[in-house]
Amino acid sequence: MAQATQEFGEWPLKRLMTEVCGSGHKSADDLTRAQATEAFERILAGEPDPTTLGAFWLANRWKRNTPEELGAYVDVMCERVEYAEPDCDPVDCGANYDGKGRTAILGVAAGAVAAAAGTPVVVHSGDRVPTQKQDAYKHVLDELGVHTELTPSDSADMVDETGFGFYYQPAFNPAIDELFERRDMMGVRTFVNTIETLANPAGASVHLGSFYHLAFAKKVVDTFVASEFHDLDRVLMFQGMEGYDDVRPGYTKVAEWDAEGDDAGSDGASFDDFEIETAEYGMDLEEADLAVDDVAAESAAVTEEVLAGERDGAFADAVAVNAALRIYAREDADSIEEGLEAARAAIDDGSAYEVLEALRDF
């Protein structure tokens, strides 16, 4: 943890706790943007003692963060991110960094399929991030023999060369990585788990994410609007398995937002939510059909087999639908149905497997 050497304002975390946000979830006040900015700057500088920091994180969790607070936290983080933009403009996939533990991670396969269909995709994760410390993108790629501990510039080259890129959190976001031990000691998720998924290390104009409840998708959209750093054109989010960016089978909700000069966020006319039945897109299965015992190893095996055209059924359908959503997110298809046609064609003609081979050779 870096030592506090910089000058701060008038709001140490203890004062914020006693005067603003620490009185409980019903009576606590929200932080102003300036207060939130100073608080996170202090945290990243290593200034608060562990007790005060833990109390502050819990107070934020109890009262629930506003988009203005999250936007400030995001901006402080992004000032410290090492960005490396590929020549193409990929879809940024911001899955929960603390991973999955019950169902296959489909985003590597879906990203390779989308890339083969002409939609570049970027994914990013850390390594056993608190609190769950389960399998994430890195671990599936490691099982597939793809290099993951890359510099940001190498990650950008990977995107341009293969259509799919992985950015490694310790390399592009070291300030957040340095919080690992303190986050691990908390035992519960903090706002850091939310904002790290919004780092967007490739500077993409489209963000794809997931949610348990629609209210969270609205909060993410409003956080991007509140952020002074990000300038996204489009956000697509859906109900994902285990909160990850793999669409949940069955009847599920999708949220869609286009900037279009609209700064009203989720209250504006450019925000829409709609429901889909994944069976209508060839995904006639239940979440239990996608369950695995060893998430990283079995997800890698599924990826290999689906991309090689050696596996059909539930996993192949799920990969195709998730690829279709990535293609649709970037508006390379006018509908999810059109994206699904492009995804299945990329699997059938072998080009999706060629992406995987290119990733291994990179």
Side-chain angles (χ1 to χ4, degrees):
M1 179 70 65
Q3 295 300 310
T5 57
Q6 66 191 84
E7 301 246 343
F8 299 107
E10 300 178 353
W11 291 99
L13 265 62
K14 185 176 180 180
R15 184 182 177 196
L16 287 172
M17 288 292 298
T18 56
E19 298 183 26
V20 183
C21 64
S23 60
H25 69 281
K26 291 185 178 180
S27 59
D29 292 325
D30 296 322
L31 278 64
T32 66
R33 182 180 184 88
Q35 289 170 334
T37 297
E38 181 179 341
F40 204 36
E41 286 175 343
R42 287 176 180 271
I43 291 170
L44 294 182
E47 189 260 358
D49 69 83
T51 302
T52 305
L53 176 57
F56 180 77
W57 272 338
L58 280 177
N60 275 258
R61 180 181 173 91
W62 289 334
K63 82 171 189 63
R64 300 180 182 178
N65 286 118
T66 66
E68 183 177 24
E69 291 169 338
L70 291 171
Y73 298 148
V74 165
D75 288 350
V76 171
M77 172 186 70
C78 289
E79 289 176 356
R80 293 156 174 80
V81 167
E82 183 178 342
Y83 283 88
E85 298 186 11
D87 293 333
C88 64
D89 185 12
V91 175
D92 172 69
C93 296
N96 288 337
Y97 277 26
D98 59 357
K100 295 176 76 174
R102 302 187 306 274
T103 56
I105 293 172
L106 305 174
V108 174
V113 172
T119 298
V121 169
V122 158
V123 302
H124 39 98
S125 80
D127 189 355
R128 309 295 178 199
V129 169
T131 55
Q132 295 183 144
K133 296 197 283 188
Q134 296 183 136
D135 293 313
Y137 275 123
K138 180 186 191 304
H139 309 110
V140 178
L141 290 163
D142 286 342
E143 289 283 344
L144 287 165
V146 177
H147 294 298
T148 56
E149 297 185 14
L150 304 169
T151 66
S153 61
D154 284 341
S155 296
D157 289 343
M158 176 186 278
V159 185
D160 284 327
E161 289 188 23
T162 71
F164 180 97
F166 174 76
Y167 285 69
Y168 185 42
Q169 185 186 46
F172 75 82
N173 201 353
I176 295 298
D177 184 58
E178 286 186 6
L179 292 175
F180 183 98
E181 290 185 10
R182 290 195 176 189
R183 294 171 66 186
D184 194 27
M185 293 298 292
M186 281 293 297
V188 296
R189 291 168 62 89
T190 71
F191 63 75
V192 180
N193 291 79
T194 297
I195 66 169
E196 67 187 350
T197 69
L198 310 183
N200 190 13
S205 61
V206 177
H207 174 79
L208 181 140
S210 68
F211 56 86
Y212 284 109
H213 305 290
L214 181 62
F216 182 77
K218 292 181 177 181
K219 184 172 287 190
V220 168
V221 166
D222 294 338
T223 295
F224 278 127
V225 172
S227 167
E228 296 176 355
F229 184 91
H230 285 310
D231 186 23
L232 290 176
D233 293 336
R234 183 166 161 78
V235 175
L236 187 79
M237 301 184 71
F238 49 74
Q239 286 177 307
M241 293 187 295
E242 301 184 61
Y244 220 71
D245 59 359
D246 301 319
V247 68
R248 187 175 67 191
Y251 189 68
T252 194
K253 181 81 77 173
V254 179
E256 184 175 11
W257 177 77
D258 292 287
E260 296 179 352
D262 180 5
D263 60 1
S266 64
D267 290 330
S270 61
F271 181 89
D272 187 27
D273 64 89
F274 54 93
E275 289 151 350
I276 63 172
E277 177 63 52
T278 53
E280 296 176 2
Y281 304 108
M283 195 173 172
D284 191 9
L285 57 131
E286 302 294 331
E287 187 167 325
D289 296 322
L290 304 176
V292 292
D293 294 320
D294 185 329
V295 173
E298 293 184 54
S299 297
V302 165
T303 298
E304 179 97 33
E305 293 164 4
V306 169
L307 297 186
E310 298 172 353
R311 185 166 192 157
D312 54 16
F315 283 108
D317 288 340
V319 167
V321 170
N322 278 283
L325 283 160
R326 285 151 174 76
I327 296 167
Y328 174 70
R330 193 171 178 264
E331 298 184 289
D332 291 329
D334 293 331
S335 65
I336 298 173
E337 293 92 339
E338 184 179 322
L340 186 59
E341 291 178 8
R344 286 182 166 151
I347 296 172
D348 291 344
D349 68 14
S351 57
Y353 192 75
E354 291 175 1
V355 172
L356 176 59
E357 291 183 316
L359 286 169
R360 286 171 165 154
D361 290 340
F362 181 81

